[in-house]
Amino acid sequence: GVGVDDGVITLAAMLPLSGTLEPFGKSVLEGHEVYWAYVNEVLGGVGSNYAVRFAPLDTAYDEETARTLWAANEDDILAISSVLGSPITDALLGEIGDRRILLAAGSQAAGGSTSPNVVLNLAIPTYRDQISGAILAGGAEEPVVPAKPPLGFLYQEGVFGNDCLAGFEQTTAAYGAGEAFSIGHPAGTTEF
């Protein structure tokens, strides 16, 4: 089948191996290389039957590059063992659509959890839950006195910020009018 040939499974890792997040991508790549070498050399492959051919693909942390890489390699990949970045994960999910392919997401965006294809690393809470937890831990969900000034949330629009906004709105839903507000700004904008 797709990504399985002569007892070899092909797994891709879609990582920023160049560009602004290159250090993160290369660190993740090193971990995967060590792990898959262990699986092949010590365990005799997956289930002691299937060797893994590991194919790192450089997304440069660019959504269009990730889409192009997917289109060029989708017929050769059984699964994606790692994707780094919520925008990249989101772009790939749009391309994968309803096809059944496992995608291990290096993302903490809660929206990825609704896809049957995504495995989230839940050792860390989603962005949504991190924001919600911060508000709850601060006791702000049930203020003893109305917030003066109101509780505000400045967020970057896009997959990260929208997930954080969902946590903010979920946790402050019981606030009265004018006690909580949010302001979004486009990615890359610094003039707030």
Side-chain angles (χ1 to χ4, degrees), residues 156-169:
Q156 177 177 298
E157 296 166 348
V159 67
F160 296 115
N162 293 344
D163 207 46
C164 293
L165 177 62
F168 179 80
E169 291 176 341

Side-chain angles (χ1 to χ4, degrees), residues 46-188:
V46 174
S48 299
N49 292 315
Y50 295 94
V52 173
R53 183 179 82 78
F54 180 63
L57 303 172
D58 181 12
T59 66
Y61 205 67
D62 176 74
E63 296 159 62
E64 191 54 41
T65 300
R67 287 184 191 97
T68 301
L69 285 169
W70 169 253
N73 293 281
E74 68 180 295
D75 293 335
D76 301 321
I77 298 170
L78 175 65
I80 301 173
S81 70
S82 184
V83 173
L84 187 61
S86 298
I88 305 304
T89 301
D90 206 40
L92 290 172
L93 287 175
E95 294 301 308
I96 291 170
D98 61 357
R99 286 175 280 177
R100 302 293 290 195
I101 180 168
L102 180 65
L103 187 144
S107 167
Q108 295 310 121
S113 66
T114 61
S115 170
N117 299 343
V118 173
V119 175
L120 290 177
N121 173 5
L122 294 179
I124 301 171
T126 64
Y127 302 123
R128 178 197 66 203
D129 297 335
Q130 289 176 42
I131 295 299
S132 180
I135 294 170
L136 292 171
E141 79 284 1
E142 295 178 17
V144 178
V145 294
K148 302 257 188 250
L151 181 62
F153 184 66
L154 176 66
Y155 68 97
Q156 177 177 298
E157 296 166 348
V159 67
F160 296 115
N162 293 344
D163 207 46
C164 293
L165 177 62
F168 179 80
E169 291 176 341
Q170 172 185 326
T171 309
T172 60
Y175 277 38
E179 291 182 358
F181 68 94
S182 60
I183 300 172
H185 63 89

